[in-house]
Amino acid sequence: MAYQRFELTDGDRQKIRNGVSCALLLERHGYLLVKDKSTRKCLKYRNNQDIIIVNHGDRGWYGVYGIAEQSKGDVFDLMRLLNPELKFREVCVELGNLVGIEPEGAAYVAQKKEREDLRAPSERWAEKKPLYRNGKVWNYLTKDRCLPDWVVRRAMTAGCIRDGYHAAWFAHTDANGAVCGAELRGPDTHICLGGSVKTLFRFKPGAGTQVKRLVVCEAAIDALSFAALDEERTPDTLYVSIAGAMGPETIASLKEHLADMAQIEGSLFVIATDDDDAGNHFADMLYGFAFDAGVTFARRLPPDRAKDFNQTLKNMAGMAA
């Protein structure tokens, strides 16, 4: 018996790509727009724990967290991600019916759970133990995230990371070194500790007493990843992360560092945010801070043009395997 294979012409495929909105598709599947985290070129959509960014003029997307993490593509890929049970022909039919319809732009409102532990982040941090080799968190960082052992050990020694059993705790500290918050990252955890005041995660592996070279990344794991890859590392290099946001405390901390660096000849502000629209948006803000402070700045992107520096480490580990 002969079977006829369904084919979509190049013209019809392009018509669907040009006519179907990725944002509309997400909204039809229960995703809502996070307006305060979106820009004209970069729309953030969320559904429970899943986060997807719409870019390329509403014709492309990439996953940040959840079912779509580290995935990207066009509207065909998005439809298949959201409806894995559909066959290719059914995907084409569904998308064809949507041509020309614009998204409504419903707003996502986070439903926060009541905090069960109302203690200060510093008190909760004090109870956490150091990481231990082959523990759950150690293996997550060194195997899942491909961080070198030496980076994890130095971060432990520097006191900026602890074992939260289900997740690594990365400390955010104030100007005096006091813990005021924490990023929590694990296989199933991607949050900031309740009650946190997000300033900066700070990792200084060298013995220099001053900060002459400041590297800023979006997440703590990215900062450690950059440190692992950094061939220009100096004893006075400090690696920091902003936990994916630029609140008033974070901005104040960065400006304080830049003000001190402005007094040091040859200081350098290295901007190592993600290689995507959101990363470019953060970079633009950071350029302005450095310019106002009179500090020389430079942008660094993953050498293999991965989305971020941790993905570069993963790619290198995959090539070595």
Side-chain angles (χ1 to χ4, degrees), residues 203-274:
F203 172 53
K204 194 169 186 295
T209 57
Q210 62 182 4
V211 176
K212 186 175 180 180
R213 182 170 176 264
L214 179 65
V215 179
V216 60
C217 300
E218 290 184 46
I221 287 179
D222 288 327
L224 296 181
S225 299
F226 189 98
L229 296 164
D230 191 6
E231 297 180 353
E232 303 173 27
R233 183 172 57 253
T234 59
D236 46 22
T237 296
L238 175 66
Y239 304 90
V240 305
S241 79
I242 60 176
M246 295 280 274
E249 293 85 1
T250 302
I251 293 173
S253 296
L254 287 170
K255 289 185 174 181
E256 183 175 356
H257 274 300
L258 289 169
D260 291 339
M261 292 169 62
Q263 309 304 314
I264 304 172
E265 184 178 355
S267 61
L268 178 64
F269 184 44
V270 179
I271 298 167
T273 51
D274 294 357

Side-chain angles (χ1 to χ4, degrees), residues 26-27 29-38 43-54 65 106-112 190-191:
L26 287 170
E27 291 181 5
H29 286 79
Y31 286 76
L32 298 175
L33 179 68
V34 186
K35 291 185 176 180
D36 61 339
K37 300 294 183 181
S38 299
L43 303 175
K44 180 176 182 179
Y45 276 87
R46 185 165 187 170
N47 179 15
N48 297 323
Q49 295 300 311
D50 301 331
I51 299 176
I52 296 177
I53 304 297
V54 174
Y65 192 72
Y108 174 83
V109 179
Q111 300 296 321
K112 293 186 178 180
H190 189 99
I191 61 173

Side-chain angles (χ1 to χ4, degrees), residues 55-316:
N55 58 3
H56 298 308
D58 201 17
R59 302 306 171 220
W61 61 275
Y62 63 88
V64 175
Y65 192 72
I67 62 169
E69 186 172 5
Q70 298 183 17
S71 299
K72 61 182 179 180
D74 60 13
V75 70
F76 289 93
D77 300 306
L78 184 57
M79 176 63 90
R80 300 184 85 167
L81 174 75
L82 300 174
N83 301 277
E85 75 284 357
L86 293 183
K87 297 180 180 179
F88 180 61
R89 179 170 187 158
E90 295 169 329
V91 166
C92 295
V93 170
E94 291 290 331
L95 290 176
N97 291 333
L98 296 176
V99 173
I101 302 176
E102 292 300 322
E104 298 174 359
Y108 174 83
V109 179
Q111 300 296 321
K112 293 186 178 180
K113 296 181 180 179
E114 290 189 14
R115 287 176 54 198
E116 297 179 359
D117 192 333
L118 300 178
R119 293 176 299 165
S122 58
E123 186 177 350
R124 298 177 66 183
W125 171 268
E127 292 183 347
K128 298 304 172 185
K129 298 179 179 180
L131 274 64
Y132 60 95
R133 184 177 293 277
N134 293 325
K136 182 177 181 179
V137 174
W138 177 281
N139 288 339
Y140 167 70
L141 294 174
T142 59
K143 295 181 180 180
D144 294 2
R145 291 294 194 153
C146 300
L147 290 171
D149 286 10
W150 73 264
V151 168
V152 178
R153 287 198 306 270
R154 287 200 186 181
M156 291 167 52
T157 303
C160 59
I161 181 174
R162 289 194 176 176
D163 192 328
Y165 183 65
H166 292 293
W169 283 38
F170 300 95
H172 275 234
T173 54
D174 62 20
N176 298 317
V179 174
C180 53
E183 296 177 52
L184 277 56
R185 296 293 183 269
D188 303 307
T189 306
H190 189 99
I191 61 173
C192 281
L193 186 66
S196 288
V197 176
K198 290 194 291 185
T199 51
L200 293 172
F201 164 77
R202 309 172 202 241
F203 172 53
K204 194 169 186 295
T209 57
Q210 62 182 4
V211 176
K212 186 175 180 180
R213 182 170 176 264
L214 179 65
V215 179
V216 60
C217 300
E218 290 184 46
I221 287 179
D222 288 327
L224 296 181
S225 299
F226 189 98
L229 296 164
D230 191 6
E231 297 180 353
E232 303 173 27
R233 183 172 57 253
T234 59
D236 46 22
T237 296
L238 175 66
Y239 304 90
V240 305
S241 79
I242 60 176
M246 295 280 274
E249 293 85 1
T250 302
I251 293 173
S253 296
L254 287 170
K255 289 185 174 181
E256 183 175 356
H257 274 300
L258 289 169
D260 291 339
M261 292 169 62
Q263 309 304 314
I264 304 172
E265 184 178 355
S267 61
L268 178 64
F269 184 44
V270 179
I271 298 167
T273 51
D274 294 357
D275 189 7
D276 57 20
D277 289 341
N280 293 336
H281 173 69
F282 283 129
D284 288 340
M285 295 178 64
L286 295 169
Y287 294 151
F289 298 163
F291 183 81
D292 291 342
V295 174
T296 301
F297 57 91
R299 180 81 184 271
R300 294 289 185 269
L301 295 172
D304 59 350
R305 295 311 298 264
K307 176 182 175 292
D308 56 47
F309 289 92
N310 186 245
Q311 186 60 48
T312 296
L313 284 182
K314 292 179 181 179
N315 294 343
M316 292 171 60

